[in-house]
Amino acid sequence: MKSLSLFSAGFILLLSGCSIMTTEEERLKNCEAKGISKDTCYLVEKADRRQEKDQSDTRLHEQNLRVIKQMGIKGLGLPE
């Protein structure tokens, strides 16, 4: 029963977080509403997405390195 209530609480938090997020279309409209050209807004959005992906890739790479070090695997040409 306790795990069900924790699951319910987590689900509610997830839904509330989704309402805070904006879609790409909404962000582009907000940008254009500030008087910025559609092309510029699109380029900024694209750069933001690239930066988020790069940060995610970096975190994943670092996590993989930690796992490899914990497993004691050596000789893969990875930093010590």
Side-chain angles (χ1 to χ4, degrees), residues 27-44:
R27 289 188 300 271
L28 290 173
K29 283 183 182 180
N30 289 338
C31 182
E32 288 179 72
K34 295 175 184 174
I36 303 170
S37 76
K38 189 172 190 171
D39 291 339
T40 302
C41 292
Y42 175 76
L43 291 174
V44 169

Side-chain angles (χ1 to χ4, degrees), residues 11-68:
F11 187 70
I12 291 169
L13 288 174
L14 177 67
L15 287 178
S16 66
C18 290
S19 66
I20 295 171
M21 292 183 194
T22 58
T23 65
E24 179 180 1
E25 184 177 319
E26 290 171 329
R27 289 188 300 271
L28 290 173
K29 283 183 182 180
N30 289 338
C31 182
E32 288 179 72
K34 295 175 184 174
I36 303 170
S37 76
K38 189 172 190 171
D39 291 339
T40 302
C41 292
Y42 175 76
L43 291 174
V44 169
E45 179 72 21
K46 188 175 178 182
D48 287 347
R49 287 187 176 263
R50 170 53 65 192
Q51 182 180 16
E52 289 171 5
K53 183 182 180 320
D54 289 346
Q55 289 172 348
S56 175
D57 289 349
T58 300
R59 282 192 305 270
L60 181 61
H61 179 70
E62 290 170 355
Q63 180 182 5
N64 288 340
L65 285 176
R66 280 194 303 273
V67 169
I68 289 171

